[in-house]
Amino acid sequence: MDIKPILATLTRHRVSALLITLEIALACAVLCNALFMAVSRIDLIGLDSGVDEASLATLSLNDCEGCNPADINGRWLDLLRRQPGVQAAGVVNSLPFAQRAGAAGVTLDPEGKRFGGVPHFYTFDPGAIQALGLVPVQGRAFTAADYQPVENFLPANAQVWITRDFAEHLWPGENPLGREFWMSTFHLTVAGIVDHFAVPNPGRSEGGVAAAQWSVIVPVATDAQSGTYVVRADPRDLPGIVQTAVAAAPTLVPEAILNREYSTTLAELRHRYFTQDRAMTRLLLGVCLAMLLVTALGIVGLASFWVQQRTRQIGIRRALGATRRQVVSYFQTENLLLSAAGIVLGMLLAYAGNQVLMHYFETARLPLLYLPLGAIALFALGQAAVIGPALRAATVPPIVATRGQ
């Protein structure tokens, strides 16, 4: 179809054409970024924590400074291991979706010149490793000699496991086993790689969603820390075990206060942690649907208005031999031109908007895939929205051409 008459018509209706173009551009920019953020949130909510959450629970104490670790751990572990159904229990500093306890920057040289990122350091005793069911997919298991006392924060020289994601971040495409890195003066050597082990605050730590699996697992002696415990049991027995431990806490450790918020199953911690993300995902998807609806209504309204204004011109075209299909095609082509202009502008706005989100909200860079997906969605929406007015225009009889304005 010759588009010159269409362009000439749009030129005579500059304001209307500009408004619908800007509406499509805004819809494209919002749709691409909102959809990307929603998909990112969905991926984050489905994050693989690396453990069997249904079989695990944690119990946490507050205000136990000055407590004797050996004494406190002995009482708690004895209580937990005596519960029917308990398979293993151990001492930890934190767990996925629990309180952050050890995020710190690392370097790839002892002088601190080559920054490597900010992982979370998990310190686990032998019972915790057993309870969590952690097994390296590369490298070796920890030996008894690897479980050392802690010097302020970590053992001075430690054999550690790191996640595959963090290994790829530190040494892309290289074998990480035996590699060394440093956290301040603490020297760490990679003894093994685990597939997944989420940080306590995935998506909210420095590095955002990309750093959700940047974990370092450090073996420590049982009495090197105290106050947070992990227990593994049959999922059917786990709630009762937690309930018994919570009820026994005041008499078992009167010198400390039980943190009830973080004394629960890992499944509950996960559900609670992602409450805001689920709400944000629903909001973002709602924004996408609202923008599509508003854009569709705008296209329908403008096309209907133009059909009413051009009734006599349409009748003249029909009288000159234009078929109904050609009339419909005219309006569809007109919409394609407007949509194309709006989408091109919208892609530029989407990129600019993503730069703002990256700067202020630490979101990831918008993948280019979302731009053609947004374009296809808006092209399809435009064609679907204009078809109704176009079909009404096609029903205008040629006799209209003989009527006065």
Side-chain angles (χ1 to χ4, degrees):
M1 173 177 284
D2 187 7
I3 66 171
K4 289 182 180 179
I6 301 175
L7 293 175
T9 302
L10 292 176
T11 302
R12 290 195 296 272
H13 298 84
R14 294 188 189 91
V15 175
S16 299
L18 179 62
L19 288 175
I20 197 65
T21 299
L22 291 176
E23 185 177 14
I24 292 172
L26 181 61
C28 181
V30 172
L31 179 65
C32 290
N33 278 296
L35 188 60
F36 168 57
M37 292 175 67
V39 170
S40 298
R41 291 291 169 183
I42 292 171
D43 288 342
L44 183 62
I45 291 170
L47 177 72
D48 186 350
S49 65
V51 294
D52 181 9
E53 298 165 27
S55 301
L56 294 169
T58 180
L59 294 135
S60 182
L61 302 175
N62 287 341
D63 301 325
C64 199
E65 293 185 12
C67 294
N68 182 288
D71 179 37
I72 292 289
N73 292 342
R75 281 184 266 167
W76 265 109
L77 293 176
D78 179 63
L79 170 71
L80 293 173
R81 289 167 179 166
R82 284 191 289 105
Q83 299 302 310
V86 169
Q87 299 164 6
V91 188
V92 300
N93 67 334
S94 186
L95 289 171
F97 318 121
Q99 292 174 296
R100 188 176 65 169
V106 302
T107 60
L108 300 180
D109 63 306
E111 293 79 23
K113 296 179 180 179
R114 297 171 57 200
F115 183 68
V118 183
H120 187 275
F121 286 86
Y122 286 105
T123 50
F124 296 155
D125 79 338
I129 295 291
Q130 180 186 0
L132 293 167
L134 292 175
V135 178
V137 293
Q138 288 180 250
R140 64 173 180 82
F142 292 133
T143 65
D146 293 327
Y147 294 94
Q148 305 176 62
V150 168
E151 297 182 13
N152 186 24
F153 179 51
L154 299 172
N157 292 280
Q159 298 288 317
V160 302
W161 294 341
I162 64 175
T163 54
R164 193 183 298 278
D165 279 3
F166 191 50
E168 185 60 27
H169 170 74
L170 292 179
W171 304 287
E174 300 179 23
N175 182 4
L177 295 180
R179 290 299 191 95
E180 300 172 305
F181 60 102
W182 286 259
M183 198 292 290
S184 185
T185 58
F186 299 102
H187 174 231
L188 309 162
T189 304
V190 179
I193 303 296
V194 294
D195 255 339
H196 302 284
F197 201 77
V199 300
N201 55 336
R204 296 169 177 74
S205 59
E206 184 173 339
V209 176
Q213 299 273 0
W214 287 8
S215 298
V216 179
I217 298 169
V218 185
V220 299
T222 297
D223 296 337
Q225 58 189 354
S226 64
T228 305
Y229 307 90
V230 62
V231 57
R232 183 185 192 91
D234 187 289
R236 293 169 296 184
D237 300 326
L238 203 57
I241 293 169
V242 172
Q243 186 176 9
T244 299
V246 169
T251 54
L252 184 71
V253 281
E255 64 269 47
I257 299 174
L258 182 73
N259 186 331
R260 292 180 178 272
E261 181 182 358
Y262 289 100
S263 295
T264 185
T265 63
L266 253 65
E268 173 61 24
L269 286 179
R270 182 191 189 102
H271 178 79
R272 189 189 305 161
Y273 183 84
F274 287 120
T275 298
Q276 293 183 353
D277 296 278
R278 288 191 294 271
M280 179 62 72
T281 300
R282 290 192 290 268
L283 176 62
L284 290 169
L285 293 177
V287 168
C288 292
L289 292 175
M291 288 301 301
L292 290 175
L293 179 60
V294 169
T295 304
L297 291 175
I299 293 171
V300 170
L302 182 63
S304 299
F305 174 72
W306 281 348
V307 168
Q308 290 177 354
Q309 285 216 323
R310 303 175 193 171
T311 300
R312 190 164 183 272
Q313 291 88 334
I314 295 169
I316 292 172
R317 291 199 64 193
R318 292 295 311 280
L320 292 175
T323 64
R324 292 185 175 185
R325 183 171 183 178
Q326 286 174 324
V327 173
V328 171
S329 179
Y330 174 92
F331 281 94
Q332 288 181 313
T333 304
E334 185 177 69
N335 178 265
L336 279 174
L337 293 174
L338 292 171
S339 296
I343 287 168
V344 170
L345 178 59
M347 287 182 176
L348 296 176
L349 291 175
Y351 176 79
N354 179 246
Q355 296 301 304
V356 173
L357 292 172
M358 288 175 60
H359 181 74
Y360 289 103
F361 299 100
E362 297 185 351
T363 62
R365 186 179 299 277
L366 178 68
L368 294 179
L369 173 65
Y370 283 86
L371 297 180
L373 288 178
I376 292 171
L378 286 168
F379 273 127
L381 176 72
Q383 292 298 291
V386 82
I387 194 67
L391 289 173
R392 287 198 298 274
T395 61
V396 174
I399 189 72
V400 171
T402 63
R403 298 175 183 169
Q405 288 280 31

